[in-house]
Amino acid sequence: MEIQFSNLKQEKGAIAIIFCDQNSRLIGYGKRLDQLSKKHLSNTIKSDDSFMKRKSKNFDYIMVHNPHNLSFSKIYVFKLKNIKNYSNRDFQILGGNLLSLIKFYKEYNVIIYPDGVKASKVSFINSISEMLLGLLLASYKFTKYFSKVDNKRKKISKIKIYTNQFSRLEKNYETVKAIHEGVTMTRNLVTEPPNVMTPPELAKNAASLEKIGVKVSVLGEKEMTKLGMGSLLSVGRGSEHESKLAIMEWKGHKNKKKKPIAFIGKGVSFDTGGVSLKPAGGMEEMKYDMGGSGVVIGLMKTLALRKAKANVIGVVGLVENHIGNMATRPSDVVKSYSGQTIEVLNTDAEGRLVLADALWYTQEKYKPELMVDLATLTGAIIIAIGNEYAGLFSNNDKLSKQLEDAGKIEDEKLWRFPLHDKFDKMINSPIADMQNISSGRGAGSITAAQFLQRFVNKVPWAHLDIAGTTWSKTKLPTSPKGATAFGVKLLNKFVSKYHEGK
Ligand code: BES
Ligand code: MN
Ligand code: ZN
């Protein structure tokens, strides 16, 4: 899909999208076109009784073929229900809906006329920017591995935005593109098959951000062994692919010495479960077990592209959890980078082993102001809250509130769960400082978070369990089936709203 801007005008042979309100009254430039067509548009609307009466549907439109006196071959009049109350996210969804329409009718040359589309709480420029973001995000597709690309699939839809405000819009569009590119990178990393997107390949992708001003360093097994990262390293022992820890630094704050905020991602390129092998059915889903690292890499891309005024560290622990003759056995004891020892009772509870060393490293090396980790950590979080919310676990109320707020704005919602000493006790081990699974039955997502907390000192920290939100089995308003990149928009908003400038 290709997006262009221009001043208001008509174009021969193109398809136009204009808007009306819930009472079917044309808005903004639509009114002007109606005049030019000598009311052909409004008369067509009026003659469609059911369109006139429908107020409840969120996605509603009418088609006008060969409109009189206008140069378009077709006009879609899109009904905006309750436009006054639209939020930023509603405009993203509007963009997603418009894309569904364009795709459904296979339109290739479309002009959208947004002038006059205005909510009470969102500025015109912001509303159109959000709509464009929605259009772009919804248009994602991954076609790399089809050996034959048919022409239909190749054909690119041209979407043009004609408005009197186009010069002001173009500036905003830079931010929209930065978010779109970050989200696209995350979705690509998550969608790539695990024989391709191995830990070294993920590290290479992190390193590719050097081009846009991110400082990147990558530790391999040798360096991590020297540092004593026995917890992270224990996970990759069964794999042919070398484990990596990639560190990305973006210094956008005017004070380069200001303490950074840090994002840490679980990057298990494939999770077989290890010796505690997973059942075959559904195992293919475990290619998205690197989703947390995918979000951190894509987020760093967005922040760098839009030159965020914040100092940000991204750390991703990259490993493959595979079976093999060197693989960790249930009951092995390993020593983490923090010095604490861990009895590995279940090799399928590997994410926490990776994050333990990544968290400790981030905290010790960068003394961050706060840490947020993202991980497809537990199946239990899906049992608890399904696929609409991600789980939030934190030692800090203010940080939790900021994350929840940003999540609401972007419709990447979080639900906070409790942490408590009583849960912490459930991971005590009779032979080491802790064990990697709980000895009790319930609260699997909480005991996993308690495990992580043992690798966090006093620093404000939040853990997002994104196991249920990283991959969608159904199409969402601004995301096709598959990798969602849940977390990129949320954390980008978290940074811009609360951690930039000051
Ligand atoms: N990667 C999985 C969690 C997961 C499950 C992510 C489903 C996405 C969808 C994680 O490593 C895992 O295997 N967790 C175990 C923990 C258990 C052994 C304590 C689980 O959830 O079953
Ligand atoms: Mn696992
Ligand atoms: Zn896993």
Side-chain angles (χ1 to χ4, degrees):
M1 191 180 73
E2 194 187 310
I3 289 189
Q4 291 169 12
F5 298 102
S6 181
N7 266 321
L8 280 178
K9 63 178 183 210
Q10 293 185 51
E11 193 182 305
K12 205 170 166 51
I15 306 296
I17 298 181
I18 59 175
F19 299 93
C20 69
D21 65 16
Q22 68 203 36
N23 301 316
S24 309
R25 277 189 304 250
L26 287 160
I27 292 176
Y29 195 59
K31 277 195 236 164
R32 174 81 190 120
L33 291 176
D34 191 37
Q35 279 171 358
L36 291 174
S37 75
K38 307 219 163 59
K39 302 218 169 238
H40 181 201
L41 304 182
S42 51
N43 286 335
T44 310
I45 293 172
K46 275 183 202 140
S47 68
D48 188 332
D49 223 33
S50 65
F51 182 74
M52 286 292 289
K53 283 186 192 136
R54 281 199 299 267
K55 285 184 186 167
S56 55
K57 274 174 46 178
N58 266 327
F59 188 123
D60 204 356
Y61 58 90
I62 189 172
M63 265 189 244
V64 186
H65 290 273
N66 302 315
H68 298 168
N69 294 324
L70 302 175
S71 46
F72 310 106
S73 55
K74 201 195 297 172
I75 293 184
Y76 292 92
V77 181
F78 200 92
K79 190 182 278 189
L80 299 170
K81 187 196 139 210
N82 279 331
I83 177 71
K84 284 275 160 292
N85 300 327
Y86 265 36
S87 65
N88 283 51
R89 174 60 182 166
D90 289 329
F91 281 105
Q92 291 177 10
I93 294 172
L94 169 61
N97 288 344
L98 292 179
L99 190 87
S100 299
L101 184 80
I102 291 164
K103 259 171 63 180
F104 185 77
Y105 290 104
K106 299 195 172 55
E107 304 293 6
Y108 292 107
N109 187 15
V110 180
I111 306 177
I112 302 176
Y113 293 91
D115 284 18
V117 174
K118 178 77 182 75
S120 36
K121 288 197 199 98
V122 189
S123 74
F124 175 71
I125 294 296
N126 282 346
S127 58
I128 302 314
S129 304
E130 298 284 11
M131 182 189 86
L132 284 170
L133 179 61
L135 268 165
L136 286 167
L137 295 184
S139 74
Y140 178 79
K141 37 183 185 202
F142 188 89
T143 55
K144 191 172 159 187
Y145 295 108
F146 293 117
S147 60
K148 288 190 210 98
V149 179
D150 60 48
N151 287 335
K152 260 199 228 118
R153 207 182 268 142
K154 244 199 307 207
K155 202 163 169 187
I156 293 170
S157 282
K158 244 192 236 150
I159 299 178
K160 299 172 205 160
I161 312 296
Y162 283 7
T163 163
N164 270 334
Q165 306 284 319
F166 86 108
S167 56
R168 278 173 66 209
L169 238 163
E170 266 182 321
K171 216 177 115 222
N172 243 251
Y173 190 52
E174 292 305 310
T175 309
V176 168
K177 273 196 300 198
I179 298 171
H180 173 232
E181 285 190 37
V183 166
T184 300
M185 182 172 196
T186 301
R187 287 180 182 170
N188 285 342
L189 295 176
V190 174
T191 310
E192 283 282 359
N195 58 327
V196 173
M197 203 42 69
T198 59
E201 198 55 32
L202 280 161
K204 257 193 222 158
N205 272 277
S208 77
L209 301 186
E210 290 260 7
K211 285 194 296 267
I212 53 170
V214 180
K215 194 177 146 211
V216 184
S217 46
V218 178
L219 308 184
E221 288 183 356
K222 229 170 116 190
E223 291 95 335
M224 287 192 277
T225 304
K226 241 194 202 151
L227 288 167
M229 295 189 170
S231 182
L232 186 152
L233 287 168
S234 75
V235 178
R237 288 174 57 87
S239 169
E240 289 292 319
H241 302 292
E242 189 182 352
S243 301
K244 303 276 184 187
L245 188 77
I247 301 113
M248 295 156 275
E249 287 180 65
W250 170 254
K251 290 198 170 169
H253 196 273
K254 59 179 187 290
N255 176 7
K256 302 282 175 261
K257 292 208 180 103
K258 188 179 190 292
K259 277 185 174 182
I261 59 179
F263 300 107
I264 297 99
K266 167 180 173 181
V268 176
S269 64
F270 193 76
D271 182 10
T272 65
V275 172
S276 314
L277 193 63
K278 284 186 183 295
M283 200 202 277
E284 70 283 357
E285 289 191 14
M286 285 302 110
K287 78 165 180 177
Y288 71 72
D289 210 19
M290 38 55 68
S293 68
V295 169
V296 172
I297 297 170
L299 172 69
M300 295 304 288
K301 178 163 194 173
T302 291
L303 296 176
L305 284 176
R306 69 171 185 78
K307 303 207 161 35
K309 293 186 179 61
N311 294 341
V312 185
I313 302 286
V315 177
V316 289
L318 309 171
V319 300
E320 181 179 51
N321 188 21
H322 216 294
I323 40 177
N325 60 347
M326 294 297 282
T328 298
R329 297 152 285 255
S331 78
D332 278 1
V333 171
V334 300
K335 189 170 180 181
S336 71
Y337 181 49
S338 73
Q340 302 175 90
T341 55
I342 304 160
E343 182 187 18
V344 179
L345 285 180
N346 187 322
T347 63
D348 197 12
E350 84 296 341
R352 61 200 78 182
L353 298 172
V354 175
L355 286 174
D357 283 348
L359 283 165
W360 194 265
Y361 180 82
T362 306
Q363 173 179 268
E364 186 168 271
K365 175 130 193 200
Y366 297 99
K367 310 270 181 282
E369 187 183 317
L370 60 91
M371 301 199 285
V372 179
D373 77 69
L374 299 105
T376 48
L377 201 65
T378 66
I381 200 70
I382 309 174
I383 309 295
I385 42 172
N387 308 101
E388 194 60 35
Y389 283 74
L392 163 65
F393 305 79
S394 179
N395 61 4
N396 187 286
D397 291 345
K398 185 175 163 201
L399 173 58
S400 297
K401 177 86 173 47
Q402 291 180 348
L403 288 165
E404 281 172 330
D405 279 357
K408 273 182 205 150
I409 294 170
E410 292 296 343
D411 199 18
E412 294 184 338
K413 299 180 288 299
L414 304 176
W415 195 261
R416 191 172 177 187
F417 285 77
L419 294 168
H420 195 280
D421 267 356
K422 287 270 159 64
F423 294 121
D424 180 76
K425 287 203 175 65
M426 295 162 82
I427 52 169
N428 285 337
S429 157
I431 188 174
D433 296 336
M434 69 194 90
Q435 55 193 38
N436 78 329
I437 54 169
S438 159
S439 41
R441 288 262 273 128
S445 303
I446 298 176
T447 49
Q450 294 288 164
F451 184 96
L452 299 181
Q453 197 177 17
R454 290 200 184 195
F455 299 87
V456 173
N457 285 332
K458 291 264 135 47
V459 51
W461 153 80
H463 155 61
L464 310 184
D465 193 335
I466 55 172
T469 56
T470 295
W471 192 268
S472 177
K473 290 188 172 141
T474 57
K475 173 184 180 301
L476 301 174
T478 56
S479 172
K481 274 185 205 178
T484 60
F486 182 107
V488 175
K489 282 198 298 134
L490 156 68
L491 294 176
N492 176 61
K493 183 59 79 182
F494 168 75
V495 172
S496 70
K497 195 163 164 41
Y498 299 108
H499 298 280
E500 266 186 78
K502 288 157 281 158

